[in-house]
Amino acid sequence: MNSYKIAVIPGDGTGLEVVTEGIKVLDACQEKFGFKLDYTWYDYGGERYMRTGEVLPEGAVDDLRQYKAIFLGAIGHPKVAPGILEKGILLNLRFALDQYINLRPIVLYPGVDTPLKDKKPEDIDFVVIRENTEGLYAGAGGVLKKGTPDEVAVQESINTRKGVERCIRFAFEYARRRNKRKKVTLCGKTNVLTYAFNLWERAFYEVAKEYPDIQTNYAHVDATCMWMVKNPEWFDVIVTDNMFGDIITDLGAMIQGGMGIAAGGNINPEGVSMFEPIGGSAPKYTGMNVINPLAAICSAGMMLDYLGERQAAAKIEDSVKIAVSKNLKSLSAGKMGYSTTEVGDLVAGYVKA
Ligand code: IPM
Ligand code: MN
């Protein structure tokens, strides 16, 4: 029997509630599909930081390398200044484990409301491949004369040929494997960011030559936002940098029905990957049993897919589809017609059925 060691980091806010439902569904899969998940829980997050003063303890990253994958809830605590936990935990893990791809599927499931008038599930089915270790997130820059009228703040975008190329290559491979519209769109800003996106553009068209079966296409990031609303059916795989990917995937989450269903994976194809719902820690809903756990459940499904448990992953997706089309009234917190735990029960039930 295949067995996988999984690190579980519920993190902050509603993270614990959604991760618990994700595990409920994973456990239903273990039984049905005959594999074993061996969980180790970690308390990294805001509460631990306030208690101990450290975001991640000494050796934490190396310790996490022993796992097959990491299942993460959410990072961000209202009592901790913005940036400390996000940089100290989430970005730190993405960088240190070299999870250079942030994979975010934008899929409208049947029965789910989209704010896009007249758009149907067949129109909204693409993935965003966000570069996940460089760009504006790299932390390059600094501040001078802070707090004075002469203050200068510089935040630079780092783009390496190696980092850009491996991300672009992943996107082409993904489009080929996905085998749908077979099209990769580079989302950038070549008209203004003439250094960074010139590098992206050259790498993109060079890599594209290795994939004659895949169509290529370019859109500026602002236009990408426009097309995502007006003609989402044009997209299959979008590849972009870290910052643009962050922004367009929140827009993507909205057109697929909201943060409640938006899943993601921080992927290192050669190392340890980390799966997380893309919404935040939602402090105002914490502990109320009202948050939608489907994004975490779908992320758990992506994790199984990456572990090679394809059948189980597909079963989770099918089960979520049934739950959203037959049961849930809405995907928004408090409006689902079910509590958080009941949604987990529903999906786990469909998995077992
Ligand atoms: C995301 C989040 C993070 C990001 C934050 C919490 C640092 O918004 O995963 O999209 O910007 O990457
Ligand atoms: Mn984001």
Side-chain angles (χ1 to χ4, degrees):
M1 189 195 288
N2 284 330
S3 163
Y4 309 96
K5 284 179 74 174
I6 308 293
V8 181
I9 308 176
D12 299 312
T14 50
L16 175 62
E17 290 165 78
V18 299
V19 153
T20 302
E21 299 317 305
I23 288 183
K24 190 183 278 177
V25 174
L26 287 171
D27 286 345
C29 287
Q30 301 193 58
E31 266 178 50
K32 186 166 176 109
F33 295 94
F35 56 87
K36 175 107 187 58
L37 298 168
D38 176 9
Y39 309 108
T40 305
W41 292 70
Y42 288 88
D43 66 350
Y44 305 149
E47 296 295 330
R48 182 181 207 280
Y49 171 73
M50 288 187 292
R51 207 170 60 238
T52 65
E54 54 185 16
V55 275
L56 284 180
E58 186 79 26
V61 171
D62 281 326
D63 176 42
L64 287 169
R65 291 186 207 278
Q66 63 177 298
Y67 295 97
K68 280 275 182 260
I70 303 168
F71 186 34
L72 178 87
I75 297 294
H77 195 294
K79 288 191 194 137
V80 180
I84 294 180
L85 301 170
E86 293 85 345
K87 279 188 163 179
I89 302 177
L90 185 61
L91 300 183
N92 195 353
L93 291 179
R94 287 177 182 170
F95 293 177
L97 296 171
D98 203 23
Q99 295 162 341
Y100 60 88
I101 299 297
N102 195 324
L103 184 66
R104 299 188 162 182
I106 315 286
V107 183
L108 178 66
Y109 288 139
V112 171
D113 279 339
T114 172
L116 302 188
K117 191 167 163 285
D118 299 333
K119 294 297 175 189
K120 311 223 152 34
E122 59 268 29
D123 301 318
I124 303 177
D125 182 2
F126 58 98
V127 304
V128 176
I129 311 261
R130 163 185 175 189
E131 200 293 323
N132 210 32
T133 55
E134 303 191 339
L136 280 167
Y137 280 68
V143 61
L144 284 174
K145 304 182 186 177
K146 189 167 182 177
T148 75
D150 295 325
E151 180 163 344
V152 181
V154 177
Q155 199 104 41
E156 288 165 315
S157 176
I158 305 296
N159 298 264
T160 68
R161 173 70 200 209
K162 178 184 153 199
V164 166
E165 191 173 319
R166 65 184 182 174
C167 178
I168 290 171
R169 183 162 278 109
F170 185 96
F172 278 94
E173 287 290 332
Y174 199 87
R176 187 178 268 173
R177 209 167 351 116
R178 190 172 137 83
N179 200 19
K180 288 197 171 162
R181 294 183 182 103
K182 297 194 119 188
K183 174 169 157 191
V184 181
T185 301
L186 172 64
C187 162
K189 192 73 187 174
T190 52
N191 53 349
V192 176
L193 306 181
T194 51
Y195 310 126
F197 279 99
N198 180 262
L199 169 58
W200 275 84
E201 200 178 26
R202 278 180 287 121
F204 182 72
Y205 288 110
E206 278 169 38
V207 172
K209 286 189 200 140
E210 299 167 31
Y211 298 86
D213 52 321
I214 308 293
Q215 274 185 65
T216 56
N217 174 231
Y218 171 82
H220 294 319
V221 62
D222 45 354
T224 302
C225 291
M226 178 177 84
W227 299 127
M228 278 173 68
V229 170
K230 197 168 178 293
N231 296 99
E233 67 278 7
W234 288 356
F235 295 115
D236 180 25
V237 173
I238 299 179
V239 64
T240 192
D241 83 346
N242 211 338
M243 186 80 259
F244 292 166
D246 177 50
I247 298 168
I248 69 171
T249 53
D250 266 30
L251 174 57
M254 289 306 116
I255 69 171
Q256 74 179 124
M259 283 299 176
I261 189 96
N266 302 276
I267 313 282
N268 175 342
E270 297 92 39
V272 182
S273 299
M274 177 166 76
F275 298 84
E276 53 164 342
I278 84 167
S281 56
K284 69 174 180 185
Y285 296 124
T286 302
M288 294 168 67
N289 199 17
V290 296
I291 196 79
N292 186 345
L294 288 177
I297 291 172
C298 291
S299 304
M302 285 177 75
M303 179 169 82
L304 290 185
D305 194 52
Y306 267 78
L307 291 173
E309 296 295 340
R310 301 262 147 74
Q311 263 191 302
K315 185 73 185 179
I316 293 183
E317 187 170 12
D318 288 345
S319 304
V320 167
K321 280 187 188 164
I322 303 174
V324 296
S325 65
K326 290 214 170 115
N327 306 104
L328 271 67
K329 288 207 215 85
S330 151
L331 297 187
S332 306
K335 297 184 184 144
M336 301 183 289
Y338 295 83
S339 67
T340 306
T341 47
E342 284 168 345
V343 174
D345 291 340
L346 265 175
V347 179
Y350 289 132
V351 165
K352 288 181 195 157

